[in-house]
Amino acid sequence: MRQDARENRQRILAAADHVFGTHGEAGSTEDVARLAGVGIATVFRHFPTKESLIEAALVRHFTDLHDQTQAAITAPDPTAALHTLIRRMIERGASKLTLASMLSRDAPPAVVTASGQVKAAVDTALRRAQATGSVRPDVGVEELYLLIRGLAQTTAAAPVPAAVLERAVDVILTGFATDSRPATGKTVDSSPTTEAGGARNPAPPDRPAARPRPV
Amino acid sequence: MRQDARENRQRILAAADHVFGTHGEAGSTEDVARLAGVGIATVFRHFPTKESLIEAALVRHFTDLHDQTQAAITAPDPTAALHTLIRRMIERGASKLTLASMLSRDAPPAVVTASGQVKAAVDTALRRAQATGSVRPDVGVEELYLLIRGLAQTTAAAPVPAAVLERAVDVILTGFATDSRPATGKTVDSSPTTEAGGARNPAPPDRPAARPRPV
DNA sequence: CTGTAAACGGAGTCCAGACTTCGTTAAGGA
DNA sequence: TCCTTAACGAAGTCTGGACTCCGTTTACAG
């Protein structure tokens, strides 16, 4: 591949990252081309369809994110590592998770793989933190991921004051910490390979909906 | 207005609620018409543009939601009231908040007003709970709303097992409680938590071919 | 330097979906 | 019951955006 072609490809991916991250899949390919400073034909030469373009941008994003998570995970203190990981994912992962959810119907295998690796990394970090006893044992990656995604998605849609976001993250972290809660003892199995249905692990039918604790 | 026209209007609104709630603003007006069992022209007679249709659906939704929140707020126990409110908003408010965020750029005044009332209600509930001392005082509606929106939005995009959602909500509620404030001060108490599954074999990095949910 | 094929971009084509037109149907008052 | 006209829906028009064609430009091997 020629040098300029390689450069253009990167420019296009970066542009796609921004356009689709901002406008969701409603962003137009033409905008991507304009932002990348190339003709629209060039975009389609590198990525035959709009979908493949989005897919490539997502894979790139998750791969980058995965590299970052690896660094965070290897930190000595598991609890601090988890905190770092969560903050980083919300900051960096914001815009693209929106896209990922848009593709959720028939997510391309490549994207599933890439995002799966990130999820596995979070899973590892969470379990390690739980092993130290500082994180409540009754939650799994699913819950954590749900909260992270929610926050990331929302902040991506409409920018939020840093201070507000920071406090929101703090609320989540606090919620994950072990406190005087009567550990239900059962560690939920939330490995990333969940069956689509929700009937896994017959969770206690009597969820403490009205827990006698404060709040 | 003729009786049948009034009925059709309601049918159209309900259909719009479902279509746009499911597919976001990408849902087509034709789908709405089909689901409502009317011709497409009828839809446009009642609502001159697609945007006005979405707007009307949103206003209806927030108005309904506001009615429900009022009931929750008047409960005797402020803390329990806040909990009920949060759960209800996540359950009921799921799909439409997505739309609301889509319209966020130039949200129609009517929608702003309607959603603002809901927000005010949440604000009231939050302050009352804080007054009892059971909720940490350093967070405001913004943080709460951010978390609620995130959860609602995400669950709307891709259905989540009830048990997982329930635990995620519980995490938020715990995070709002007064006792375990300093999230950063890792509570590394080496209490003999029944950490049997300490290092539960992290999931295999290679996703199985069976397509799990992305992200 | 020069030849050549890889890459490029502007000007299309084509279709999905928002919105209109107009002849038909039926609500509901007299 | 009949008549007026509000309300209806099938069959359009039109525009935005995905994707293609083809003549032009340019990296780089010889």
Side-chain angles (χ1 to χ4, degrees):
Chain A
M1 182 184 282
R2 243 164 63 176
Q3 186 57 31
D4 58 343
R6 195 188 313 278
E7 286 172 8
N8 274 337
R9 188 188 170 87
Q10 288 311 113
R11 298 249 298 283
I12 291 169
L13 275 178
D17 202 77
H18 182 263
V19 170
F20 296 128
T22 307
H23 301 88
E25 65 183 350
S28 74
T29 346
E30 205 153 347
D31 282 346
V32 174
R34 189 164 21 245
L35 184 60
V38 302
I40 193 172
T42 300
V43 173
F44 279 98
R45 192 170 308 108
H46 284 284
F47 307 96
T49 66
K50 179 183 183 178
E51 197 179 339
S52 70
L53 173 58
I54 296 179
E55 175 183 336
L58 281 174
V59 168
R60 194 182 82 132
H61 174 257
F62 282 120
T63 304
D64 285 359
L65 191 57
H66 183 243
D67 291 346
Q68 295 199 355
T69 56
Q70 287 307 317
I73 284 181
T74 56
D77 178 4
T79 306
L82 182 63
H83 288 196
T84 305
L85 189 54
I86 292 176
R87 289 174 198 280
R88 190 149 301 171
M89 285 194 66
I90 291 176
E91 290 162 12
R92 298 272 311 168
S95 55
K96 291 67 183 199
L97 289 168
T98 308
L99 280 177
S101 68
M102 287 171 166
L103 286 174
S104 62
R105 304 184 182 191
D106 47 355
V111 174
V112 173
T113 303
S115 67
Q117 287 182 335
V118 175
K119 199 170 192 175
V122 175
D123 188 41
T124 303
L126 176 60
R127 288 180 194 285
R128 284 206 187 137
Q130 284 174 328
T132 71
S134 69
V135 171
R136 51 193 274 192
D138 66 329
V139 292
V141 225
E142 293 300 336
E143 287 80 13
L144 178 54
Y145 228 65
L146 189 59
L147 290 164
I148 292 179
R149 271 186 59 182
L151 225 48
Q153 219 165 297
T154 308
T155 55
V160 167
V164 172
L165 179 58
E166 188 60 30
R167 275 192 294 272
V169 171
D170 189 58
V171 166
I172 292 181
L173 293 178
T174 306
F176 267 99
T178 39
D179 48 8
S180 52
R181 98 176 16 261
T184 51
K186 31 180 40 181
T187 299
V188 176
D189 174 17
S190 339
S191 73
T193 54
T194 60
E195 319 81 54
R200 72 160 196 214
N201 170 15
D206 50 0
R207 283 298 293 174
R211 201 150 36 78
R213 304 189 57 258
V215 144
Chain B
M1 183 184 280
R2 243 164 63 176
Q3 185 58 31
D4 56 345
R6 194 188 314 276
E7 286 171 9
N8 273 338
R9 188 189 170 86
Q10 287 310 114
R11 300 249 298 283
I12 290 170
L13 274 178
D17 201 77
H18 182 262
V19 170
F20 296 129
T22 306
H23 301 87
E25 66 184 348
S28 74
T29 344
E30 204 154 351
D31 282 346
V32 173
R34 190 165 20 245
L35 185 60
V38 302
I40 194 173
T42 301
V43 174
F44 280 98
R45 192 169 309 106
H46 284 284
F47 308 96
T49 67
K50 180 183 182 178
E51 197 177 339
S52 69
L53 173 57
I54 296 179
E55 176 184 336
L58 281 174
V59 168
R60 195 182 81 133
H61 174 257
F62 282 120
T63 304
D64 286 359
L65 192 58
H66 184 244
D67 291 347
Q68 294 199 357
T69 57
Q70 287 307 317
I73 284 181
T74 56
D77 178 4
T79 306
L82 182 63
H83 287 198
T84 306
L85 189 54
I86 292 176
R87 288 174 198 280
R88 191 150 300 169
M89 286 194 65
I90 290 176
E91 290 162 12
R92 297 273 310 169
S95 55
K96 290 70 184 197
L97 289 168
T98 307
L99 282 177
S101 67
M102 286 170 167
L103 288 174
S104 60
R105 305 183 181 191
D106 46 354
V111 174
V112 173
T113 303
S115 66
Q117 286 182 334
V118 175
K119 198 170 191 174
V122 174
D123 189 39
T124 302
L126 177 60
R127 289 183 194 285
R128 284 203 189 143
Q130 284 174 329
T132 71
S134 69
V135 171
R136 50 193 274 192
D138 65 329
V139 293
V141 225
E142 293 301 334
E143 288 81 12
L144 179 53
Y145 227 65
L146 189 60
L147 289 165
I148 292 179
R149 271 186 59 181
L151 224 49
Q153 218 165 300
T154 308
T155 55
V160 167
V164 171
L165 178 58
E166 187 60 30
R167 277 191 293 272
V169 171
D170 188 59
V171 166
I172 292 181
L173 294 178
T174 305
F176 268 98
T178 35
D179 49 26
S180 48
R181 262 265 41 233
T184 42
K186 29 173 193 146
T187 319
V188 187
D189 65 334
S190 311
S191 62
T193 44
T194 53
E195 251 321 316
R200 291 174 76 102
N201 181 8
D206 51 347
R207 293 314 217 77
R211 189 158 48 78
R213 258 175 297 115
V215 167

